Amino acid sequence: MANQVFENTEKYKRKKLSVLRPPSHKGSSTLLRHSPTGVFLSDFARGALDWAVTCDAALCVTHISDGYTAMTGIPVRQSVTQPLEDLLHFSSVEEAALFMARLSNGEAFHKEPIAVKAEAGTVPATLSAVPLNDADGALIGIEGGINALAEDPVN
């Protein structure tokens, strides 16, 4: 029984690694369909997130959904390939370094308060993100979603 579980795990790891290779994509839901979480995330994300983001291991943006432009006024094409850090506003260099180190170390985030740079200043938001790892556990990127904070959040 244990060997069967191990064999299934190894098959999953090989499949997972191939799924995580960056697909060529156009449109906001294509990358999410290729994500390890499956096809249904794309439908969920459209209703639950203001925008989705995927970064490589260097934390450079590889994909942003169209909601990014709606929130910031900045075209998606200007931000793809940029370091994620450049899309966010931090109060200090130290704050930026600590935040990016947490992401680089593979820390998952759930509704982490952030500020997103926009044409008209900054937008207070939250980030929920998970690390993407290869079969050996090495970080190969992050995938997450951003939601703007309401003016008067309901608790």
Side-chain angles (χ1 to χ4, degrees), residues 29-80:
S29 64
T30 305
L31 183 63
L32 294 174
R33 275 193 207 108
H34 289 84
S35 79
T37 50
V39 173
F40 299 108
L41 180 59
S42 62
D43 294 332
F44 171 75
R46 277 194 286 271
L49 303 172
D50 287 330
W51 53 281
V53 62
T54 304
C55 298
D56 61 19
L59 299 180
C60 291
V61 175
T62 58
H63 175 79
I64 300 179
S65 66
D66 295 334
Y68 172 75
T69 300
M71 179 190 279
T72 65
I74 301 168
V76 167
R77 69 182 175 280
Q78 288 182 3
S79 298
V80 172

Side-chain angles (χ1 to χ4, degrees), residues 8-127:
N8 289 339
T9 302
E10 288 304 307
K11 287 178 187 176
Y12 171 74
K13 285 181 179 179
R14 282 193 296 274
K15 182 178 180 187
K16 180 179 173 186
L17 184 59
S18 67
V19 167
L20 292 178
R21 288 191 186 118
S24 63
H25 58 277
K26 295 191 191 274
S28 62
S29 64
T30 305
L31 183 63
L32 294 174
R33 275 193 207 108
H34 289 84
S35 79
T37 50
V39 173
F40 299 108
L41 180 59
S42 62
D43 294 332
F44 171 75
R46 277 194 286 271
L49 303 172
D50 287 330
W51 53 281
V53 62
T54 304
C55 298
D56 61 19
L59 299 180
C60 291
V61 175
T62 58
H63 175 79
I64 300 179
S65 66
D66 295 334
Y68 172 75
T69 300
M71 179 190 279
T72 65
I74 301 168
V76 167
R77 69 182 175 280
Q78 288 182 3
S79 298
V80 172
T81 73
Q82 298 299 311
L84 179 62
E85 181 177 359
D86 292 352
L87 278 58
L88 305 177
H89 173 77
F90 297 97
S91 60
S92 68
V93 173
E94 293 80 15
E95 180 189 17
L98 178 62
F99 183 83
M100 298 311 290
R102 290 171 60 202
L103 283 174
S104 294
N105 290 330
E107 185 174 331
F109 288 85
H110 180 69
K111 296 185 178 180
E112 180 77 15
I114 61 170
V116 179
K117 292 179 183 175
E119 280 190 341
T122 60
V123 177
T126 59
L127 168 69

Side-chain angles (χ1 to χ4, degrees), residues 131-145:
L132 300 175
N133 301 95
D134 66 13
D136 296 322
L139 182 72
I140 59 172
I142 63 163
E143 185 173 65

